[in-house]
Amino acid sequence: MDDPRALRLLARVAVTVALLCPAPAFAQHAPAATGTSETEAAPARPADPRDDEETVVVSARRQRGAVFGDLAPELQLGAADIRSLGVTSVDELLAELAPELRSLRGGPPIVLLEGRRLSSFAELRDVPAEAIVRVDVLPEAAAVAYGYSANQKVMNVVLRPRFRAWTGEARAGSATESGAANARAAATVMRIRRDARFNASVQASHGDPLTEAQRGIVPAAPRAPYDLLGNVAGLPQGSSLDPALSALFGAPVTVAGVPASARSRPLTLADLLPNANRANRTDLADRRTLLPRTDGASANLVWNRALEGGTTITLNGSVQRDEQRARNGLPGVLIVLPAGGAFSPFAGTVGVYRYVDTLGALSQATESTQSHVGLTVDGSLGSWRWNLVGNLDRGDSRTATRVGADVGAFQAAVLGGANPIAPFGAQAVAAPANTARSATRGAHVDALLDGSPFSLPAGGALLSIKLQ
C-alpha cells in the first residue's frame, strides 16, 4: 500500500488487537542446578491443621484469702450477697448459712479467717457483716488440709483490706401472750488495715421471767394442805382431827380450813365447822416461774498484727457473765399445836399447815463466769505454711437453791401458848440454801505444718502435720 493514511490505520488496529488479546503461554525449562546458585527451592511440607487454630493463654492471680490447696468452693458469697441476707455479724451469718454448712457426715463446721485457723470463734464472732468482702463454703476435704477430721465443712471468711466502723445495736421483744419480755444491746468498734486489725465488742441482755399465772396454769394440789392462812389436820395426816368436831359435823373430819378471824382471837370448833373436810388453798402460780429471769453481759477483744517475714500474730480475750433467777413457790411448814393451850380447842395434838410468805418465794439462783484467752501465730517456710494456736479457758459456776424456812423460834412460842395462826414476823428465817459449785480449767496448744512435698500427674500432693 502506498497510501500513508491506510498504513497508519492498519498500525493502529494491530496495536489495539495486541492489547486486547492475552499473551500465549510458553513452556520454560529451568536451568540445571549448580553449586553457584544463591537460593534453592524448599521441599514441600504437609499442611498442619493446627496452623489454623488460635492459641489462648489465660493467667490469673490466686484470690486473696483463699484456703490452702486447689479445692473450689461449693458456695461463694460476695459482699452484695451477704448484705441481702440481712445479717449484722459473723455470728448471725453462721446461723443463716447453717443448712449449707451442715455435713452429711455429722461434724460441726470449721471457720477460717482468710485461709488461716483461729484460736476460737470469738476472734470473728462480733465482726460486722459490712467488713466481709467474701465468704467461701468448701467441702469436707478442705478440713483435712488444716488438721481437722474429714466430717466437717469449712467456712472461710475474707475481710476487707481497709475498714473502720463503730456500730451499735438494740433489740427488744415480748411474747404475744404477754410476759417474758427481753432486751439486748451491743456496741462494736472495728478497725482494719492491711497489716493490723482491732476489734472490741460489749453486749448486755435481759429477759423477764414467765410465771405460771401468766399462762393460766393451775398447779397441782400439794401433798400436804399448806395455805397462807392455814389448815388444821390430825396427826398423823389423815387421822381424825377431833372427836367433838366430827360429832358436830356428823362424819369424821381430818382437815379444816382456818378462818381469818383466828389471827386475832383463839380458835373454836364452831369456827372450823363451815370448812370441815375442806382445806384452804393458796394459788402460788404467780410465785412459780416457767422461764427464769436472765441477765448477761460480755466483752470481747481481738488484736492482730503483721510482723516481719510475713508472720502474723493474733491475741483474743473474752469474758462472759450470766445470771438466772427462778422461783419455786413458797416454803410450807408444819406447826405442832399441843392440846390444852389457850389457842387450842382440840382434845389432842394437831398440826397447823402454813406457807411462810415473809421470806419471799423459794428461788434457785445460778451465776456463771466464762473467760478465754487465745493466741494464734501464722507464718511460712518457703512453700510451706505453719500455724500455732494456744488457748486458756476458765469457767466458774455457782447454783444456790432455797429449800425451806426455819420456824424453830415460832414453834417454840406456840408450844409456850402463842397463837399458831399469828404472823411469823422475825421468828421465821430462811433455811440454809443448798449450794453447788463447779470450776473448769483448760489449756490447749497445737501446731500445724502444711505444704506440697511433691507433684503428681493430677497436681501437687498435700501434706498436713499436726502436733498437739
Side-chain angles (χ1 to χ4, degrees), residues 406-427:
D406 183 356
V407 292
F410 186 83
Q411 177 66 74
V414 171
L415 294 177
N419 186 356
I421 313 301
F424 289 102
Q427 292 179 314

Side-chain angles (χ1 to χ4, degrees), residues 386-441:
W386 59 270
N387 174 274
L388 178 67
V389 172
N391 289 290
L392 290 175
D393 293 281
R394 173 172 177 166
D396 295 282
S397 177
R398 178 180 180 273
T399 301
T401 305
R402 281 188 54 204
V403 295
D406 183 356
V407 292
F410 186 83
Q411 177 66 74
V414 171
L415 294 177
N419 186 356
I421 313 301
F424 289 102
Q427 292 179 314
V429 296
N434 292 338
T435 303
R437 290 183 174 87
S438 66
T440 59
R441 307 288 185 269

Side-chain angles (χ1 to χ4, degrees), residues 10-56:
L10 183 60
R12 289 176 181 175
V13 171
V15 171
T16 302
V17 171
L19 292 174
L20 294 176
C21 296
F26 297 93
Q28 295 183 355
H29 297 279
T34 63
T36 60
S37 64
E38 295 180 357
T39 61
E40 296 183 359
R45 182 174 62 87
D48 189 345
R50 292 176 297 178
D51 292 344
D52 296 333
E53 297 180 0
E54 295 183 0
T55 302
V56 178

Side-chain angles (χ1 to χ4, degrees), residues 12 28 79 84 98 101 131 171 235 245 258 309 311 332 343 383:
R12 289 176 181 175
Q28 295 183 355
S84 68
L101 294 171
R171 298 182 182 181
L235 293 178
L245 180 60
V258 174
T311 302
F343 289 91
S383 61

